[in-house]
Structures are given as C-alpha cells and as structure tokens.
Amino acid sequence: MLNLGENRFVFRPQLGAIHSRGNWTMELTAEVALHAENDDFFNGNSLKQDPLYFVHGHLIHSFRPGQWAGVSLGYNYGGESRINGVDQDDVRQNVGWKLSYAHPVTPASGLKVSYVGSRTEEETGFDAETLVVDLSFAW
C-alpha cells in the first residue's frame, strides 16, 4: 500500500532540558507524535495510529565558536496503526545514533558532517546507515 500523502495532521509536543558546563552541553528531549485520523487512506479506508513516543539525548563539545562535535542517541516506541478498526500489529521501536562534527568555513557559513545510524527492534521499520554533509549559510 503506497500512501504518497499523509492526509492527516501530526501534533508533536516536546519537552527538553539543556545543561552546559564549560565547553560541554548535555541535552535531553522527550516528545510524543499524536496523529489525526486519516479518513482518505488507501482505497478510501480509514487509518488511525496510536501515539509514538520519543526520547533523545545529546552530548556536545564546543571547541570554538562554530566548531563542535557531538554524539546523540535516540529511542522511539509505539505508533501501532489500525485500518478500518483492525489492528495492524505494527508497533514501532527504533534506536538511533548520530556522530557529528561542525566546522566554520567563513564567519557566515559552516560545514557539518554527520554519521547517522538506526536499528529497528520490531518487525516494522528498517536499519540504516547514512552519511550527511551540510553546508549552512547565515545572513
């Protein structure tokens, strides 16, 4: 079943805490994804989804302005869906991690390289490894 459009709203409230000590910053974030019903799902069916819960942690070391390295770890659980009221037995449970390094190129631009990995702990999901290169500009 291919559903190119979500045809629903997602509300994702988030609560986080940040603690800095010297050049180190620790962040912890918890959030929940609340999905509205999709009554225009594949072939006119109705899709409902339970809340999907997330927790993320980050440890960042700043070397100088614009230059930093970080490690992140995240976990999510939930999100079982129902089509026309029938449970799909598709609970999501994933673990993700990221290693990042950012370096300033000019006073108004910077380069960031990240390695992102994820592993599913359930039958629904996928394992992935990704290398990301970002170039950012500020004005």
Side-chain angles (χ1 to χ4, degrees):
M1 294 186 298
L2 181 62
N3 186 20
L4 295 177
E6 285 279 326
N7 299 323
R8 60 184 174 163
F9 291 99
V10 179
F11 179 62
R12 289 180 73 156
Q14 187 177 84
L15 182 63
I18 299 174
H19 177 73
S20 295
R21 185 173 298 253
N23 291 336
W24 291 94
T25 302
M26 295 165 278
E27 302 175 353
L28 182 63
T29 305
E31 66 183 272
V32 59
L34 304 168
H35 298 84
E37 182 178 353
N38 178 351
D39 58 2
D40 191 20
F41 189 60
F42 182 74
N43 279 342
N45 291 304
S46 174
L47 171 69
K48 290 184 179 180
Q49 187 173 352
D50 291 341
L52 183 58
Y53 301 95
F54 300 86
V55 64
H56 304 222
H58 313 279
L59 181 62
I60 303 160
H61 184 270
S62 296
F63 300 101
R64 61 186 174 97
Q67 183 184 24
W68 58 269
V71 60
S72 303
L73 183 63
Y75 174 78
N76 72 4
Y77 182 82
E80 184 174 16
S81 57
R82 288 177 298 292
I83 298 176
N84 298 328
V86 177
D87 287 338
Q88 299 300 298
D89 194 28
D90 62 351
V91 170
R92 289 133 181 99
Q93 181 178 341
N94 300 295
V95 176
W97 55 92
K98 180 166 82 170
L99 302 172
S100 299
Y101 174 75
H103 190 82
V105 177
T106 69
S109 67
L111 181 67
K112 181 173 76 170
V113 178
S114 300
Y115 163 77
V116 182
S118 68
R119 185 180 76 217
T120 185
E121 303 294 320
E122 297 284 341
E123 293 179 17
T124 302
F126 63 93
D127 297 346
E129 294 184 24
T130 307
L131 182 65
V132 180
V133 179
D134 295 309
L135 182 59
S136 300
F137 297 96
W139 62 90

